[in-house]
């Protein structure tokens, strides 16, 4: 962690060494202060960075670990790709943590510090607080205990080796932050405007984002405190959650340069992943095919972009190249399906961070569980419909007609029995969060759906069980041993099978 918190101090020391005594007063100037970067611009930066992260992080944690562990993708790779497919040790599992602090949290915290004493900037402050929760929810759900209360404050407080806070405490504070921030928006104060690249300053949509995140957090904590989970879920619904396709929290990308293009597309193109390295899992493709899901035409194609069903083959999980060749003699990996190269793998394809479909699936779930009254079947249908509609954000190739949606719902109606209903909701969440493997993995750990058969690759380190979390960055054990020890004491060993707080049984 020390490296992440020293980055700006290091820049100042470089200036100092270049000129021993000249302009010493500049050494202690914060390069992220309002005199250096306008606060509104900092909001744009943290929003974009949440989607783009580092390209290595996108490949090694989202694609090659979480999506493969969830059997949405598969690979014959065993080194630098495919670890989640076969439950192998990965030295890159900590990339999400590294990039989250370096590229997002440091700036989000500094933004909050810059505007928190300015009443005119209450909308910017509230948006930053909500976005910080969005980032930390992804982070803590992936690892469990992480630095939270002192995170991003190395320049401010000098603490560059913060303790790892308990996830239970992090959750309590995130819920508080969402509640306070949503209530604090004031349309009479300075507008966010175009600096907000997600909602263009629409405060009502920011409130829906806050309450939708609140609902997600409430459901995640149900195993540990069912009473509080129900209370927070009730507050979220009363506050107003996402319901319309335009409520979606997504980042729109452009092709003008790599830094703002779609990060998955950039990663696939940079490492030629579609050809032989990353394929659609047979498990996921079978689900789409067996249910005649029109999203298949958006998600899946051959390497050349052909979506003809007869030409699509899913790659079973858990095979290395030798095992693949033995199981499918004469087959070439190039002939197996991958992410749709003409739709999903466009440079301008959006990144979905939280969608109305996810939220309505969660609402349907709490109705099934009796937390609130409502029409669970109707919410299920709305969720599926919104998931179908959101694909149009990919352009013409993503358009699914109303007739296709209705045909799918007729063929896959909401089940009559509660246990089957929960299974259907979990499976739909798995499909709706395709390409957001961190979220697919987290919801699977909470619900157990869809039911997946683990792989059994020789040398796996989980006793052939699907991993329950990512492991911390290797540099933390060197740079912040005291901080990480607080997690080891509270949470347990830094291993794939150590459950995070809300996942403990």
């Amino acid at each position: 962690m020390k490296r992440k918190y020293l980055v700006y101090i290091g820049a100042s020391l470089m200036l100092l060494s270049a000129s021993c005594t000249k302009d010493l007063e500049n050494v202690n100037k914060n390069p992220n202060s309002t005199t250096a970067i306008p606060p509104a611009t900092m909001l744009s930066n943290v929003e974009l960075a949440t989607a783009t992260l580092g390209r290595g992080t996108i490949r090694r944690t989202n694609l090659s670990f979480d999506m493969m562990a969830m059997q949405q993708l598969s690979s014959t790779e065993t080194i630098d790709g495919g670890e989640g497919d076969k439950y192998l040790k990965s030295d890159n599992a900590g990339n999400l943590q590294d990039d989250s602090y370096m590229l997002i949290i440091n700036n989000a915290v500094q933004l909050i510090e810059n505007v928190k004493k300015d009443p005119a900037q209450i909308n910017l402050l509230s948006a930053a607080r909500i976005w910080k929760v969005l980032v930390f929810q992804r982070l803590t759900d992936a690892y469990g205990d992480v630095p939270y209360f002192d995170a991003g404050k190395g320049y401010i407080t000098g603490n560059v080796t913060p303790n790892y806070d308990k996830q239970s405490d992090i959750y309590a504070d995130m819920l508080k932050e969402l509640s306070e921030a949503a209530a604090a928006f004031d349309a009479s104060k300075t507008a966010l405007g175009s600096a907000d690249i997600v909602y263009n300053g629409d405060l009502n949509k920011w409130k829906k984002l806050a309450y939708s995140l609140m609902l997600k957090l409430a459901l995640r904590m149900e195993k540990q405190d069912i009473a509080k989970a129900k209370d927070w879920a009730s507050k979220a619904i009363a506050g107003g959650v996402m319901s319309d396709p335009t409520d979606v929290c997504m980042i729109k990308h452009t092709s003008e340069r790599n830094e703002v293009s779609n990060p998955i597309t950039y990663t696939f193109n940079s490492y030629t992943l579609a050809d032989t390295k990353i394929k659609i899992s047979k498990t996921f493709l079978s689900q789409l095919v067996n249910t005649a899901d029109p999203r298949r035409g958006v998600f899946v194609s051959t390497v050349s972009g052909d979506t003809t069903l007869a030409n699509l083959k899913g790659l079973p999980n858990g095979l290395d190249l030798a095992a693949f060749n033995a199981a499918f003699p004469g087959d070439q990996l190039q002939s197996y399906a991958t992410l749709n190269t003409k739709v999903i793998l466009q440079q301008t394809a959006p990144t979905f961070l939280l969608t109305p479909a996810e939220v309505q699936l969660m609402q349907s779930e709490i109705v099934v569980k009796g937390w609130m009254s409502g029409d669970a079947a109707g919410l299920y249908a709305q969720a599926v419909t919104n998931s179908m509609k959101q694909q149009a954000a990919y352009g013409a190739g993503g358009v699914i007609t109303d007739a296709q949606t209705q045909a799918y719902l007729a063929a896959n109606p909401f089940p009559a029995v509660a246990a089957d209903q929960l299974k259907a909701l979990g499976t739909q969440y798995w499909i709706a969060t395709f390409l957001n493997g961190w979220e697919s993995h987290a919801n699977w750990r909470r619900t157990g759906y869809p039911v997946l058969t683990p792989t059994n690759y020789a040398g796996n380190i989980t006793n052939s069980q699907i991993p329950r979390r990512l492991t911390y960055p290797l540099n933390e054990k060197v740079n912040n041993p005291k901080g990480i020890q607080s997690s080891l004491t509270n949470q347990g060993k830094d291993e794939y099978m150590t459950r995070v707080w809300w996942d403990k049984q």
Side-chain angles (χ1 to χ4, degrees):
M1 190 63 63
K2 184 179 290 185
R3 175 175 60 81
K4 294 186 278 288
Y5 293 92
L6 283 176
V7 62
Y8 297 121
I9 297 175
S12 296
L13 290 176
M14 288 175 66
L15 292 175
L16 180 60
S17 64
S19 178
C20 188
T21 57
K22 183 179 179 180
D23 294 330
L24 280 176
E25 67 274 13
N26 290 329
V27 171
N28 290 319
K29 284 186 178 179
N30 186 344
N32 271 355
S33 70
T34 53
T35 61
I37 303 176
T41 300
M42 293 181 72
L43 176 63
S44 306
N45 289 343
V46 298
E47 288 176 329
L48 179 61
T50 303
T52 55
L53 288 164
R55 270 49 182 195
T57 293
I58 296 295
R59 177 184 179 185
R60 296 184 179 101
T61 64
N62 185 28
L63 301 172
S64 295
F65 197 93
D66 285 294
M67 288 189 71
M68 290 190 188
M70 289 297 95
Q71 298 180 20
Q72 296 162 319
L73 299 177
S74 60
S75 177
T76 60
E77 301 285 302
T78 57
I79 300 174
D80 197 23
E83 288 88 347
D85 181 82
K86 303 167 186 66
Y87 322 146
L88 301 174
K89 183 181 185 299
S90 172
D91 291 338
N92 301 301
N95 285 13
L96 175 63
Q97 180 172 329
D98 271 337
D99 277 357
S100 293
Y101 287 106
M102 179 71 79
L103 302 175
I104 312 170
I105 293 168
N106 285 345
N107 289 327
V109 170
Q110 189 61 58
L111 170 57
I112 291 169
E113 289 293 318
N114 286 348
V115 301
K116 68 181 183 181
K117 295 182 180 179
D118 184 354
Q121 293 283 18
I122 188 61
N123 295 322
L124 184 54
L125 174 61
S126 296
R129 292 172 74 184
I130 293 167
W131 201 264
K132 180 185 167 192
V133 170
L134 183 150
V135 175
F136 264 110
Q137 174 261 309
R138 179 170 72 182
L139 185 65
T140 186
D141 285 353
Y143 297 96
D145 296 354
V146 292
Y148 177 80
F149 293 101
D150 291 329
K153 297 180 180 178
Y155 193 92
I156 301 166
T157 66
N159 180 9
V160 297
T161 55
N163 279 340
Y164 278 51
D165 297 298
K166 294 179 179 180
Q167 189 180 54
S168 56
D169 295 337
I170 295 171
Y171 257 61
D173 192 74
M174 289 195 298
L175 289 164
K176 175 192 73 68
E177 287 289 286
L178 292 172
S179 179
E180 293 178 359
F185 281 117
D186 187 341
S188 70
K189 303 299 183 182
T190 303
L192 298 177
S194 59
D196 169 19
I197 64 174
V198 176
Y199 292 126
N200 196 35
D202 189 325
L203 300 187
N204 288 328
K205 293 193 184 303
W206 273 99
K207 291 178 184 178
K208 287 186 177 183
L209 174 61
Y211 288 118
S212 297
L213 286 167
M214 185 182 293
L215 178 60
K216 183 194 291 188
L217 294 175
L219 272 167
R220 292 273 154 90
M221 61 190 289
E222 63 178 324
K223 292 180 185 177
Q224 302 308 322
D225 196 329
I226 187 67
K228 284 186 178 179
K230 290 179 179 179
D231 286 345
W232 281 109
S234 176
K235 182 170 183 176
I237 298 300
V241 295
M242 293 178 178
S243 58
D244 187 82
T246 62
D247 295 332
V248 64
C249 179
M250 72 176 181
I251 302 296
K252 297 177 181 178
H253 297 283
T254 70
S255 59
E256 61 185 279
R257 63 184 190 276
N258 292 335
E259 290 80 3
V260 293
S261 65
N262 181 278
I264 292 177
T265 303
Y266 177 82
T267 301
F268 261 73
N269 292 343
S270 297
Y271 300 101
T272 58
L273 301 181
D275 194 31
T276 61
K277 295 180 180 178
I278 292 184
K279 297 296 178 179
I280 295 292
S281 168
K282 181 179 180 181
T283 303
F284 190 70
L285 181 58
S286 295
Q287 170 67 32
L288 300 179
V289 171
N290 293 341
T291 58
D293 193 324
R295 286 170 289 192
R296 175 187 60 78
V298 182
F299 295 160
V300 186
S301 79
T302 65
V303 174
S304 65
D306 182 7
T307 60
T308 306
L309 179 57
N311 296 332
L312 300 179
K313 293 186 292 186
L315 180 67
N317 292 91
L319 302 177
D320 59 20
L321 187 57
F324 167 78
N325 287 332
F328 305 101
D331 274 10
Q332 300 295 317
L333 279 171
Q334 289 90 337
S335 68
Y336 281 73
T338 187
L339 298 183
N340 192 321
T341 57
K342 293 184 178 179
V343 179
I344 285 176
L345 295 184
Q346 299 177 86
Q347 287 184 300
T348 56
T351 295
F352 296 106
L353 298 172
L354 183 61
T355 69
E358 296 169 60
V359 176
Q360 288 164 327
L361 289 168
M362 290 187 280
Q363 286 180 271
S364 183
E365 181 180 341
I366 64 177
V367 172
V368 170
K369 290 179 174 178
W371 293 17
M372 74 172 192
S373 59
D375 180 5
L379 287 163
Y380 166 86
Q382 291 173 33
V384 171
T385 300
N386 275 330
S387 178
M388 302 285 186
K389 287 182 179 296
Q390 83 178 44
Q391 308 309 321
Y394 289 114
V399 174
I400 296 173
T401 67
D402 290 343
Q404 287 176 301
T405 300
Q406 292 308 312
Y408 176 81
L409 286 170
N412 301 276
F414 195 58
V417 179
D420 293 334
Q421 291 170 349
L422 293 176
K423 180 179 180 180
L425 293 169
T427 300
Q428 286 296 331
Y429 203 98
W430 178 61
I431 300 169
T433 53
F434 185 68
L435 296 185
N436 186 353
W438 302 299
E439 185 60 27
S440 301
H441 192 193
N443 198 66
W444 173 84
R445 286 180 281 153
R446 180 181 70 83
T447 66
Y449 297 116
V451 176
L452 300 172
T453 302
T455 61
N456 187 20
Y457 184 77
N460 77 81
I461 60 173
T462 65
N463 195 27
S464 300
Q465 300 177 73
I466 297 174
R468 309 300 297 192
R469 64 184 285 274
L470 293 173
T471 51
Y472 296 129
L474 298 178
N475 59 50
E476 282 295 86
K477 297 171 184 177
V478 176
N479 296 330
N480 190 14
K482 182 180 178 181
I484 203 170
Q485 184 58 47
S486 56
S487 168
L488 302 181
T489 300
N490 173 63
Q491 181 169 271
K493 295 179 180 179
D494 182 26
E495 297 175 348
Y496 291 154
M497 296 310 297
T498 296
R499 293 175 181 247
V500 303
W501 166 72
W502 54 253
D503 191 31
K504 294 184 185 296
Q505 297 174 319

